[in-house]
Amino acid sequence: LMGKAPFQAAVDGTKEIWLADFAGTITTIAVLIPILFIGGYVEKILKQFASVLIMALLSSYIISITVIPLLSPKILGGSTKRNRIEEVLYRVSEAILEPLRNFFVALFDFALNKRLLFIALGIALLIVSLKQMPLVGKDLMPPMDTGIIKILFETEPNTSLSRTESIVNKMEKIIMETPGFIRMATVVGSEPGVISFGAERTPQQGLITVHFIDRFHRKKSIWDIEKELREKFLKIPGVKYVHVYDFGATPLSSIAAPIDVMISGPNPKVLDRLAEEVKKRLYKVKGLVSVSRNWSLDKREIRLLSNFEKLARYGISPIQLAETIKAAFSGTQASILRVPGEDGYVIRVRFPASQRSRLSDLMTLKISTSKGPVPLNELATFKVVKTLTVYKRQNLSPVVDVLGYRYTTAITHLQGQVDRLLKNMPLPRGYSISQEGEIKHMKESFGRLRKALVIALVLLYFSLVPTFKSFIDPLTIMVAIPLSLIGAVWGLLVVGRHFCMPASMGMILLAGIVVNNSILLIDFIKNAQKEGKSLKEAVEGAIRIRTRPIVMTALGTITGMLPIAAQRALGLERLSPLAIVAIGGLIVSTLLTLLYVPLFYTIFEDIKKLVVKLRGSSKDAHQQ
């Protein structure tokens, strides 16, 4: 549009690109719409992201065809001459773009007579790239250095609460000596005399939440700190197991651990044996740093068997006997200390520790009866047994969970090993094993994403059909989508990120961007053909003219994504895979789009001509 008046140039420029701009906006929105209604965890996480993008795309389209054309004549001025800065920038850009234009035009001319060979090479490259996905690994959400560590631990069975507190004090001392420590909160055991249905915590179990300074102000990552703490904690006598993991190690709070193997069946003793076997096998999984069970059959319990004949003889009921024992050893409410403005403090009364710490103290406990005090061993017999530390059920069936924690290893890499190790494990009739960890929710979420992607491709196609008034041209435009996957996969593999939900969102956005680039090419080619140019001339002109906006779009997006990919702010670890997918996909798809989209366009044009020719031949034959 050089040589025209500024206002006329703005009008003509808007006319030239408005259709491609509109089609690009609609197609990107069509790709994002299914995310809004996909349901489940995916919708909860990505709905706000997709909503903001849709509003931003609509706003940017309106501005691009109204505000920008109106302001451009005023900003650019009436002179067509460039100032010194503009001249330098123009020469630099031309020094880069002109060789690129010549290269792609020459490559297209070379590939035009070898189209099938180049297409076969492209398909082979795509297949090889997709084969690398198992190496990339999958996660529901990427790991993030939150600066918060959770320490879940259990001491040996029957450890007293005071002994557990002593172990906790040692752990807290180690934590406070760790560089970068800020604060922590510790919860040990459960409230005495209260049955817990939520915390599932025994007097031997505890949880410590530790806050450290952010990752930009400490030398070690959160996972390095976890490793050091775990090694030190395991040296403390009396610790049965300890899990040290980062806050947010699982994407959902309902997931007990990244790896959760649940065994269900009727007999706790059989469950105990199976859980121990599963635990031994999980120790062989590379990438798991700690393994435990949520209960074991090693809690020492004294079972009291009442002699009902003697109870009747002394005139005491089993309930009265139980209440007397509970009052002596667990305590009974004697009063409430009232404090103005606060809840009352319950005052419990029980025997001193010196009179309730041995089995002999229980056996010689005096029970008040109508015939005078009687020692407990006169009214009952005693039996020491091993029982469950925690009772756990699911769907009314007894279950035991074997839990495994990791650092940053992809969940699919872990789960593949777990499935292989448990594949041939024999199970008695009536017992089953299920995976209740992150993999269960990941399969459900990625299943929803696959459905959303299929719907998005259908919407994308049918949004392009009326725009180009063709059923073939949208197929040519959508050829760029598989090409973008090549760069996305290799980008994740090179940088060391896992494929996850943000990465899949990045692929959806990438599809929208590369489709826009294809629209720019096809729109120019069709307009050039309407002006009377040959197919080859139209394609070569499209490559030359559209190289600049396509490269500008790619470089602008890549530049904006670099800080996110480099994780230069707290929390960007969650979005880093999205940026890596966008950068890798744009680098590869930008280069391949300028070659393969024109190639496919020429193939479809040849097919159209062949179909028209065959129809004409059949029509002539019919007339004869």
Side-chain angles (χ1 to χ4, degrees):
L1 301 178
M2 295 292 290
K4 294 186 178 182
F7 180 78
Q8 189 60 41
V11 171
D12 292 344
T14 304
K15 287 181 179 179
E16 182 178 327
I17 61 94
W18 83 267
L19 179 62
D21 193 4
F22 174 77
T25 303
I26 293 301
T27 53
T28 307
I29 290 174
V31 170
L32 292 171
I33 283 176
I35 299 294
L36 302 178
F37 310 101
I38 194 172
Y41 180 71
V42 181
E43 182 183 325
K44 289 179 181 178
I45 298 299
L46 299 181
K47 183 176 182 179
Q48 293 83 354
F49 191 29
S51 302
V52 171
L53 282 174
I54 289 172
M55 296 302 296
L57 285 168
L58 289 172
S59 302
S60 65
Y61 171 70
I62 294 171
I63 291 172
S64 68
I65 62 172
T66 55
V67 177
I68 302 252
L70 288 173
L71 293 180
S72 58
K74 300 181 181 295
I75 295 173
L76 297 176
S79 176
T80 59
K81 293 183 179 180
R82 306 183 186 92
N83 57 38
R84 291 183 180 180
I85 297 175
E86 291 174 340
E87 187 66 30
V88 170
L89 292 176
Y90 176 78
R91 290 184 179 182
V92 171
S93 65
E94 285 301 307
I96 298 172
L97 290 173
E98 191 59 30
L100 200 59
R101 293 190 190 105
N102 295 334
F103 170 75
F104 278 107
V105 169
L107 185 61
F108 170 76
D109 292 339
F110 176 75
L112 190 59
N113 297 324
K114 302 178 178 62
R115 290 180 296 187
L116 295 180
L117 175 62
F118 271 80
I119 290 171
L121 289 174
I123 294 173
L125 181 59
L126 176 62
I127 293 172
V128 170
S129 300
L130 294 178
K131 289 286 186 181
Q132 309 309 309
M133 281 301 291
L135 293 177
V136 172
K138 291 182 181 179
D139 272 326
L140 190 54
M141 291 294 285
M144 183 172 68
D145 188 341
T146 60
I148 306 174
I149 288 178
K150 285 187 171 289
I151 302 160
L152 182 66
F153 65 91
E154 183 176 355
T155 58
E156 294 296 339
N158 299 104
T159 303
S160 65
L161 187 57
S162 59
R163 172 61 181 155
T164 301
E165 290 178 347
S166 175
I167 292 173
V168 170
N169 291 336
K170 293 179 182 178
M171 297 174 73
E172 290 178 337
K173 185 178 180 182
I174 292 172
I175 293 169
M176 287 187 286
E177 292 173 352
T178 304
F181 167 78
I182 299 177
R183 63 183 179 274
M184 63 180 160
T186 306
V187 179
V188 179
S190 56
E191 187 177 351
V194 176
I195 299 176
S196 173
F197 290 98
E200 302 177 353
R201 194 173 293 121
T202 68
Q204 290 77 39
Q205 296 175 332
L207 176 67
I208 306 175
T209 304
V210 190
H211 290 250
F212 291 90
I213 58 175
D214 64 81
R215 58 187 172 91
F216 295 113
H217 295 88
R218 50 181 154 84
K219 297 180 180 179
K220 296 179 180 179
S221 71
I222 203 74
W223 300 285
D224 293 331
I225 296 174
E226 288 174 11
K227 184 179 179 181
E228 292 181 2
L229 291 176
R230 181 181 291 106
E231 291 173 351
K232 292 178 180 178
F233 292 156
L234 290 175
K235 294 178 182 179
I236 300 175
V239 175
K240 183 179 180 181
Y241 70 78
V242 60
H243 295 304
V244 186
Y245 55 94
D246 47 293
F247 177 75
T250 57
L252 287 167
S253 59
S254 58
I255 302 175
I259 297 294
D260 182 355
V261 182
M262 179 180 286
I263 312 165
S264 60
N267 193 332
K269 291 185 178 180
V270 178
L271 288 177
D272 178 68
R273 177 175 58 82
L274 293 174
E276 195 60 30
E277 178 62 26
V278 170
K279 183 180 174 182
K280 289 179 181 177
R281 297 191 181 204
L282 290 192
Y283 274 123
K284 299 177 183 178
V285 176
K286 296 179 180 178
L288 283 183
V289 295
S290 59
V291 180
S292 73
R293 298 162 47 180
N294 62 349
W295 63 258
S296 56
L297 200 63
D298 55 3
K299 179 183 178 182
R300 190 171 65 92
E301 188 176 83
I302 300 170
R303 189 162 295 172
L304 188 145
L305 305 174
S306 300
N307 188 322
F308 294 105
E309 293 181 3
K310 290 186 177 181
L311 288 178
R313 186 185 307 162
Y314 284 101
I316 185 171
S317 68
I319 295 176
Q320 290 174 318
L321 181 66
E323 289 177 348
T324 302
I325 297 172
K326 179 184 177 183
F329 286 84
S330 297
T332 186
Q333 181 175 327
S335 181
I336 297 178
L337 176 62
R338 301 294 182 182
V339 179
E342 297 183 16
D343 293 335
Y345 293 91
V346 176
I347 299 175
R348 292 182 178 274
V349 177
R350 60 179 176 175
F351 283 7
S354 60
Q355 297 180 24
R356 53 181 173 83
S357 58
R358 298 180 297 274
L359 178 58
S360 59
D361 295 332
L362 178 63
M363 296 174 68
T364 58
L365 175 66
K366 295 295 188 295
I367 307 297
S368 298
T369 69
S370 58
K371 297 181 180 181
V374 178
L376 182 58
N377 57 4
E378 177 67 20
L379 303 174
T381 57
F382 303 88
K383 184 180 180 181
V384 179
V385 297
K386 292 291 185 68
T387 186
L388 282 66
T389 54
V390 174
Y391 288 85
K392 185 173 176 63
R393 290 176 178 270
Q394 183 158 304
N395 298 326
L396 301 179
S397 176
V399 296
V400 58
D401 294 82
V402 184
L403 309 175
Y405 287 85
R406 57 173 175 167
Y407 287 139
T408 58
T409 307
I411 195 67
T412 50
H413 292 164
L414 295 173
Q415 196 64 49
Q417 299 178 69
V418 171
D419 293 340
R420 187 172 62 255
L421 289 168
L422 300 181
K423 184 178 181 180
N424 299 321
M425 181 174 166
L427 293 175
R429 181 175 295 180
Y431 293 82
S432 62
I433 289 180
S434 62
Q435 302 296 332
E436 302 294 326
E438 188 173 332
I439 192 70
K440 176 182 178 180
H441 299 271
M442 192 180 78
K443 287 180 178 179
E444 187 266 341
S445 296
F446 277 106
R448 290 179 181 272
L449 275 172
R450 278 192 292 270
K451 291 179 182 178
L453 183 59
V454 171
I455 296 171
L457 291 175
V458 173
L459 291 175
L460 178 62
Y461 177 78
F462 284 103
S463 66
L464 290 170
V465 168
T467 304
F468 286 90
K469 300 177 182 179
S470 168
F471 287 98
I472 301 298
D473 289 340
L475 294 176
T476 310
I477 291 169
M478 292 172 69
V479 165
I481 295 176
L483 300 179
S484 65
L485 298 180
I486 298 172
V489 173
W490 286 104
L492 290 171
L493 189 62
V494 170
V495 179
R497 303 283 192 275
H498 304 149
F499 185 79
C500 52
M501 216 156 56
S504 63
M505 187 66 181
M507 286 188 172
I508 292 174
L509 292 176
L510 183 61
I513 295 172
V514 297
V515 163
N516 292 350
N517 293 340
S518 299
I519 290 171
L520 286 173
L521 283 170
I522 301 301
D523 182 58
F524 188 95
I525 293 171
K526 294 181 76 67
N527 289 334
Q529 286 181 299
K530 289 178 182 178
E531 293 173 359
K533 292 184 180 179
S534 66
L535 177 60
K536 185 178 180 182
E537 290 176 337
V539 171
E540 289 177 349
I543 293 174
R544 287 190 175 278
I545 300 300
R546 294 309 193 197
T547 296
R548 179 189 290 272
I550 289 174
V551 172
M552 285 174 60
T553 301
L555 288 179
T557 306
I558 290 171
T559 303
M561 289 289 183
L562 281 175
I564 302 175
Q567 304 174 1
R568 295 310 302 165
L570 296 175
L572 283 185
E573 296 99 320
R574 290 295 198 215
L575 294 177
S576 177
L578 184 153
I580 296 297
V581 163
I583 292 171
L586 281 173
I587 291 173
V588 174
S589 65
T590 299
L591 300 178
L592 295 181
T593 297
L594 288 167
L595 173 64
Y596 278 93
V597 170
L599 280 180
F600 273 95
Y601 184 82
T602 59
I603 290 175
F604 285 128
E605 285 296 302
D606 290 346
I607 292 173
K608 284 182 186 178
K609 291 178 182 178
L610 180 61
V611 170
V612 171
K613 186 177 180 181
L614 290 174
R615 284 179 178 176
S617 300
S618 62
K619 186 176 181 181
D620 293 340
H622 181 71
Q623 289 176 350
Q624 292 177 358

